Amino acid sequence: MKNTRITLKDLAKDLNLSASTISRALGNHPAISASTKKRVQKKAEELGFVPNSIASSFRKKRTQTIGVIVPRIDIHFHSLVISGIEEFAYNNGYNVTIFQSKDLLKREKEIAKTLQNKMLDGVIVCLGIETKSCDHFKKINKLGIPLVFYDRVPTDFDANKIVINDFESAYLATEHLIKNGCKQIGHISGSQTTNIFKARLEGYKAALKKYNLPIEESLILFTNSLSYEEGVQCAETYLKSSLKPDGIFCANDYTAVSVIQVFRKAEIKIPEDVAIVGFSNYPISKIIEPHLTTINDRAFQMGEAATKLLIRQIEEKDDSITSETITLKTELIIRESSTRS
């Protein structure tokens, strides 16, 4: 026997009600009595009725779906952001579809083009490391699809943005090292084509200037992606250098952890010989010995805030919030890797 999909008309015929009454009862419309809703729901379950979400979307002119573009799902920061997005979206009746750019501009452009043709109510984006211009997202903007950027955000057009104050966070991290007696402080930085890592470098330098400490260019090391392996290379560079740091501020926790491990193998005591501060509060920061002082960058809250702002745009259709920037406050979490008695 051929399987056929149960329709509203089938339910209406079975219950001797109009199709519009069935639809309102299933949609929990206030004009329909509780007893009728219960009766309709029971019959729908009995017959295996599944609402036609596509038809419903056409009627509402919404799909209740949000697209999310992240650079890398395997980075703890982005996993937490996605968790925040999904939690807030689910609690407000939205589904989430995830796309991963792998930090590749070509892939990011292809995803953006795909999203222009998909039935999505809005898009949340973190730019990839290779992205310099956001022309590929301007088309989405022109189509009237609500758009929110988080963390790595564009500077070449107005859009909603959720960020942290990377400059201030880096300043606090460096100041903490200074207040713990460090005089020659190094910095392991991310790519300077990315604004957040530029800001962290500038915050580090500002703290040194404030306390009249030298900015030693040989102690500032640059990476492409702040990977664990790049952190090992930076640690080995410090070990070979004639000018050795007594404190290091790392632009993420992966590089900070790798430095701790390399230094400990070289019998350098942490924090007595070198105090170390990371950035992002990854789970490994509480596993490594000594536990890592770091910046809590509020990744989960960033995901929630981005989704809240996007849904506000979708549902209120308010032109006045097309270029709002929300800055979340970070927190310096002090642990054993930087605390000297």
Side-chain angles (χ1 to χ4, degrees):
M1 183 180 171
K2 186 181 176 182
N3 289 328
T4 56
R5 187 187 182 106
I6 302 298
T7 66
L8 283 175
K9 287 181 180 178
D10 296 327
L11 280 175
K13 186 178 178 182
D14 246 55
L15 293 168
N16 198 27
L17 295 169
S18 69
S20 61
T21 299
I22 298 291
S23 178
R24 287 175 181 175
L26 291 170
N28 199 29
H29 196 284
I32 306 300
S33 70
S35 60
T36 301
K37 287 176 188 175
K38 189 175 180 182
R39 189 168 147 236
V40 170
Q41 191 64 45
K42 185 180 177 184
K43 181 57 73 173
E45 288 175 10
E46 183 185 309
L47 297 179
F49 172 77
V50 178
N52 187 332
S53 58
I54 295 172
S56 177
S57 295
F58 276 119
R59 287 194 300 273
K60 294 178 183 175
K61 296 185 178 176
R62 276 197 216 147
T63 62
Q64 301 300 117
T65 303
I66 293 167
V68 180
I69 306 176
V70 298
R72 301 189 70 92
I73 292 170
D74 58 348
I75 299 291
H76 182 70
F77 169 79
H78 295 296
S79 296
L80 270 185
V81 172
I82 290 168
S83 187
I85 290 170
E86 202 280 330
E87 182 74 12
F88 194 91
Y90 176 81
N91 288 336
N92 287 273
Y94 285 81
N95 300 307
V96 176
T97 304
I98 310 293
F99 299 85
Q100 185 177 208
S101 72
K102 293 273 191 178
D103 271 322
L104 301 172
L105 178 60
K106 180 176 180 289
R107 189 158 168 166
E108 187 179 275
K109 284 182 173 180
E110 287 169 355
I111 294 167
K113 190 173 182 180
T114 299
L115 293 183
Q116 291 169 24
N117 302 317
K118 281 194 174 291
M119 292 178 65
L120 295 171
D121 293 334
V123 179
I124 296 172
V125 184
C126 177
L127 299 176
I129 284 175
E130 290 186 356
T131 305
K132 310 290 187 299
S133 167
C134 288
D135 288 345
H136 48 298
F137 289 115
K138 289 179 183 177
K139 180 71 182 293
I140 292 175
N141 215 29
K142 283 179 183 175
L143 289 170
I145 301 169
L147 193 56
V148 173
F149 291 89
Y150 76 88
D151 193 45
R152 300 180 204 160
V153 300
T155 55
D156 58 346
F157 81 99
D158 287 336
N160 283 311
K161 302 165 191 176
I162 309 291
V163 296
I164 59 171
N165 191 326
D166 288 282
F167 177 94
E168 182 184 87
S169 302
Y171 182 97
L172 288 173
T174 309
E175 183 181 54
H176 168 72
L177 290 169
I178 295 167
K179 288 182 175 179
N180 275 270
C182 299
K183 304 290 184 188
Q184 292 185 165
I185 301 171
H187 176 49
I188 297 178
S189 179
S191 170
Q192 292 304 288
T193 61
T194 304
N195 288 331
I196 62 172
F197 299 128
K198 276 186 186 176
R200 290 176 198 179
L201 174 60
E202 291 308 312
Y204 152 82
K205 287 181 175 180
L208 295 181
K209 286 178 185 175
K210 171 73 175 176
Y211 287 88
N212 298 312
L213 291 176
I215 297 171
E216 300 287 357
E217 295 298 332
S218 64
L219 294 182
I220 302 173
L221 304 180
F222 297 96
T223 69
N224 291 318
S225 60
L226 288 168
S227 67
Y228 176 88
E229 293 74 18
E230 287 175 314
V232 169
Q233 291 167 11
C234 290
E236 289 171 348
T237 299
Y238 282 133
L239 290 178
K240 293 172 188 171
S241 174
S242 56
L243 180 63
K244 291 184 170 51
D246 59 2
I248 303 171
F249 163 52
C250 303
N252 79 348
D253 286 347
Y254 290 143
T255 50
V257 166
S258 54
V259 169
I260 289 174
Q261 291 181 325
V262 171
F263 279 15
R264 288 188 71 189
K265 282 181 185 174
E267 298 186 345
I268 292 170
K269 293 178 183 176
I270 312 293
E272 293 86 352
D273 298 332
V274 183
I276 296 173
V277 177
F279 202 110
S280 275
N281 196 33
Y282 294 161
I284 198 169
S285 65
K286 290 182 279 189
I287 298 169
I288 188 73
E289 291 290 343
H291 293 178
L292 178 64
T293 294
T294 187
I295 297 286
N296 180 0
D297 53 14
R298 310 284 188 192
F300 185 88
Q301 290 83 357
M302 188 174 281
E304 286 186 315
T307 315
K308 184 178 182 179
L309 186 54
L310 186 73
I311 291 174
R312 201 172 109 207
Q313 259 192 291
I314 293 165
E315 297 186 352
E316 294 180 13
K317 297 191 180 300
D318 185 353
D319 292 338
S320 69
I321 58 168
T322 54
S323 58
E324 181 176 348
T325 298
I326 295 172
T327 304
L328 304 179
K329 191 167 180 61
T330 59
E331 173 194 12
L332 176 66
I333 300 174
I334 299 170
R335 300 191 182 111
E336 294 86 356
S337 72
S338 65
T339 310
R340 290 169 171 172
S341 56

